[in-house]
Amino acid sequence: MNPLIKKYLKILLPILLGVFLIWYSLSKVPLNELLNYFKNANYGWILLGMFCGLLSHLSRAYRWQFLLEPLGCKVKLGNSIMAVFSAYLINYTIPRAGEVARASILTTYEDVPFEKGFGTIVSERMADLLVMIIIICITLFIQFDFIYQFFAEKFNPLHLVIGLFAVSGFLLLGFKVIKTSQSVFAVKIKTFVSGLLEGVLSIFKMKKKWAFIGHTIFIWSMYIAMFYVTSFSLTELNSIPFGAILIGFISASFSIAATNGGIGSYPIAVYAAFSLFAIPESPSIAFGWIVWTSQTLLLVLGGGVSLMLLPILNKNRKEEICNNKDEV
């Protein structure tokens, strides 16, 4: 495939998918009904959810400094915060472009080499991926009876056991084949797994590793808290079990990778998760839209203000960096 066509498809397909999912969610819950949910929502809980989201983003910006310090990069906390918010905003336009922009901002305003800044972001994402895996495992453990009963009602238990053994055998066989294979696909997987392990292990080599781990736990705790407290904004979800919250949160988190910032996909992912608990579709989809809209508003405002303030607050700093480069 032509590289140019491939590039544009990566941008257009998530947008088209988002538009389709918006249409799909509105076919489930008419716009006037959705607006009524927004109108009658308790905005005290929504604002508290936004505050939890804000704390997670500030903690992420502060945590980033723990990865930059060992590289000899002293970065102002303000610039770190503005770079994080700018990255979130840019991700709404082009998927994953925010990570590149985030590293570029430090290169422009803090003179941090791009490859070093981007490398710390990759390590950071590896740590976040590990936490997400842990959350999934904890959720599976807490909701084991529910998940088992759900599948047992739909499938023969004996078939489930045979299926688990078959999947386990397939995974072991796949692991063995990938380990010995030299194909392009196998090399990519081995490189990814190696990078994941290297990124995670590098955390334990930092001077402030426990602070980094503490902030990582705090960030994800705030993500879950943001999702949980916002559920109280709709009276229809006041009695929702915490297990549904965890599964809904996991489903919604993965939806963000499907479209730009989760537009369209986020409410559908929440609805799909909540439907497992026989929660009605209308409040489920409405809740998904309320969470997504409130958090998107926070990121758009924070990102927009950050992009405006970065060149203003760093005017003298940028001139100093340019002068130093000229002297060299």
Side-chain angles (χ1 to χ4, degrees), residues 137-166:
C137 291
I138 291 173
T139 303
L140 290 174
F141 178 78
I142 294 175
Q143 294 297 121
F144 178 79
D145 291 340
F146 170 80
I147 294 171
Y148 176 79
Q149 184 178 0
F150 174 80
F151 284 102
E153 290 175 356
K154 297 183 178 296
F155 305 98
N156 187 307
L158 179 61
H159 293 166
L160 282 176
V161 174
I162 294 173
L164 286 173
F165 275 106

Side-chain angles (χ1 to χ4, degrees), residues 39-313:
K39 181 180 177 180
N40 297 322
N42 186 326
Y43 280 84
W45 290 110
I46 294 174
L47 289 173
L48 182 58
M50 292 176 71
F51 181 67
C52 290
L54 175 63
L55 290 179
S56 72
H57 304 320
L58 294 177
S59 181
R60 178 176 293 279
Y62 190 71
R63 184 188 66 168
W64 192 15
Q65 295 189 315
F66 298 142
L67 289 168
L68 291 164
E69 283 178 10
L71 302 176
C73 303
K74 299 290 184 179
V75 176
K76 291 180 180 178
L77 179 59
N79 283 341
S80 180
I81 292 172
M82 289 186 286
V84 166
F85 273 103
S86 298
Y88 281 129
L89 177 59
I90 292 170
N91 273 335
Y92 279 93
T93 56
I94 303 175
R96 297 299 142 210
E99 279 72 13
V100 176
R102 188 171 151 193
S104 299
I105 287 170
L106 286 198
T107 301
T108 303
Y109 298 109
E110 292 284 356
D111 202 25
V112 176
F114 176 82
E115 62 278 5
K116 286 188 177 183
F118 191 75
T120 58
I121 295 171
V122 173
S123 296
E124 181 183 271
R125 293 303 183 190
M126 295 297 185
D128 289 333
L129 177 60
L130 178 63
V131 175
M132 175 56 83
I133 292 172
I134 292 172
I135 292 173
I136 292 172
C137 291
I138 291 173
T139 303
L140 290 174
F141 178 78
I142 294 175
Q143 294 297 121
F144 178 79
D145 291 340
F146 170 80
I147 294 171
Y148 176 79
Q149 184 178 0
F150 174 80
F151 284 102
E153 290 175 356
K154 297 183 178 296
F155 305 98
N156 187 307
L158 179 61
H159 293 166
L160 282 176
V161 174
I162 294 173
L164 286 173
F165 275 106
V167 171
S168 300
F170 178 77
L171 290 174
L172 288 172
L173 178 63
F175 175 77
K176 188 174 181 180
V177 170
I178 289 172
K179 187 177 180 181
T180 57
S181 175
Q182 296 300 321
S183 67
V184 176
F185 178 71
V187 170
K188 284 185 176 181
I189 292 180
K190 285 189 282 189
T191 301
F192 173 77
V193 173
S194 176
L196 174 61
L197 291 174
E198 185 179 353
V200 171
L201 292 175
S202 67
I203 294 170
F204 294 95
K205 298 177 183 178
M206 292 188 299
K207 291 181 179 179
K208 299 179 180 178
K209 56 180 176 291
W210 295 115
F212 181 91
I213 293 171
H215 272 276
T216 301
I217 295 172
F218 178 78
I219 289 167
W220 285 89
S221 297
M222 287 299 100
Y223 284 161
I224 296 173
M226 169 272 295
F227 196 84
Y228 181 52
V229 300
T230 307
S231 70
F232 292 108
S233 66
L234 296 180
T235 55
E236 294 86 348
L237 300 179
N238 283 353
S239 59
I240 187 172
F242 190 66
I245 290 293
L246 286 175
I247 293 176
F249 169 76
I250 292 168
S251 178
S253 297
F254 281 112
S255 75
I256 293 174
T259 58
N260 297 19
I263 183 170
S265 62
Y266 196 98
I268 297 301
V270 172
Y271 159 63
F274 283 4
S275 65
L276 300 177
F277 295 82
I279 299 171
E281 65 179 14
S282 293
S284 298
I285 293 176
F287 169 69
W289 275 113
I290 287 172
V291 177
W292 183 85
T293 303
S294 60
Q295 294 302 316
T296 296
L297 178 62
L298 172 65
L299 296 177
V300 169
L301 288 175
V305 171
S306 296
L307 287 172
M308 287 190 295
L309 290 181
L310 272 168
I312 297 172
L313 298 180

